Structure formats: C-alpha cells, structure tokens
Amino acid sequence: TYKAQAAILLQKHAERSRTRTAYDVAIEKEGAVFVVRAEPAIRAIVKDLMKGRSASDIARAFHNGLAQACVRVCQAIRKETGLKTACLSGGVFQNRLFLELLARGLRKNNFALYYNELLPANDRGVSLGQAALANALVSRRVTSDKRQATSDKLDNQTQAHVSHIELVACSL
C-alpha cells in the first residue's frame, strides 16, 4: 500500500458513477475555524452498503457531498470576510473529480477561482506558493524604511489573508 492508495481507489470508483445524490456532511464552527464532520455521511454510507448500493454510487455520492460541503464553507467565509476568490491547492486536488465538482460549485456561486494547472497540486506546488509569499513579505520589509506605516498595514492585511487561507485549508 501507499499513502494515497485509498483515495485513488475511491476516486476511480466514483468516476464510474453518474449519480447526483450527495451524502450530507456537517459543518460546524469552532472559534474561528470551520470543521467539516463526515459522521452523517459515514452513517449513510453504512446504511447504503447494507442495502447493496454499488461502491461506485457510494463513492460518487461521497465526492458530491464533500464538494458541496466545501462550497458551503467558502460561502460562510465570504459572508464573514467579503472574500470572493477561492484558491485551491494541495494534494487533495490531485483528485481531478473532486477538483471538478468543487470548481463547478464555486463558479456556480460566483467565486473567482484559482488552482494549479502548470504546477503540481501536491506539496511541491504548495512549497512554491509559500516561497512566493515569503518573497513578497521580505520585499515589503526591504522597502519599509520609507513607508513603515504602509508596510505594517500591508503585513496585517497579508496576515489576515493567510489566516483565511489556513481556515479554508483546515476545513478541507
């Protein structure tokens, strides 16, 4: 076995189904963090397995439900912050089906959307993004001698954006 084997097999099963049903995934807010809870989906999956529902339909309904939950989290963040852009990166987005379902849901809800196309969606691509952010922060500090107040304001805004990005990442 290997690290993503179960996820890859789940995706392959899901791709064989065209069901539009979605398992319910609960979203709770704990402090400043949105928490996605899969317990309702797992209960429904067990019931469907006992009823003999196909593995492909179960896998697709799970993908559908998780994508819908992520859209709801992004909507909640937009309501709190006014942010209208979603940036999707990380190993989970190597799952093209999940990426397509989530992207479709976000676009339908009028989000501007960015995701990896030329770089890998896994840790290598995330590392490049972290390096770019660090470079931007260092560049701002170098010029801050003349504009200290502006730089401090930008750093606070950048930190707020990073916090929101972490919030979305935690939710996924």
Side-chain angles (χ1 to χ4, degrees), residues 88-171:
L88 309 176
S89 189
V92 70
F93 296 109
Q94 290 182 164
N95 179 330
R96 297 305 291 178
L97 174 62
F98 179 66
L99 175 61
E100 290 168 11
L101 292 169
L102 180 54
R104 187 178 314 134
L106 290 169
R107 285 186 185 112
K108 183 178 176 184
N109 285 278
N110 300 312
F111 280 90
L113 185 60
Y114 297 93
Y115 56 88
N116 300 55
E117 291 182 286
L118 300 176
L119 297 172
N122 59 21
D123 290 345
R124 289 183 294 162
V126 172
S127 297
L128 181 61
Q130 291 169 334
L133 179 60
N135 183 52
L137 292 173
V138 167
S139 295
R140 286 185 186 149
R141 287 201 173 92
V142 167
T143 61
S144 69
D145 291 341
K146 296 180 182 177
R147 298 183 240 152
Q148 184 63 42
T150 303
S151 179
D152 288 346
K153 182 179 177 186
L154 289 172
D155 285 345
N156 290 338
Q157 290 174 339
T158 301
Q159 184 58 46
H161 289 291
V162 169
S163 296
H164 290 297
I165 291 167
E166 291 169 353
L167 181 65
V168 173
C170 290
S171 299

Side-chain angles (χ1 to χ4, degrees), residues 10-23:
L10 187 68
Q11 176 187 348
K12 286 183 180 188
H13 276 289
E15 289 170 341
R16 293 184 198 132
S17 173
R18 295 292 169 236
T19 187
R20 293 180 174 265
T21 61
Y23 289 119

Side-chain angles (χ1 to χ4, degrees), residues 7 21 23 34-35 40 45 47 49 53 58 66 71 73 76 94 107 110 120 124 128 134 145 148:
T21 61
Y23 289 119
F34 289 92
V35 178
I45 289 168
K47 287 179 184 176
L49 284 169
R53 187 173 186 192
I58 289 171
L66 189 58
V71 169
V73 168
Q94 290 182 164
R107 285 186 185 112
N110 300 312
R124 289 183 294 162
L128 181 61
D145 291 341
Q148 184 63 42

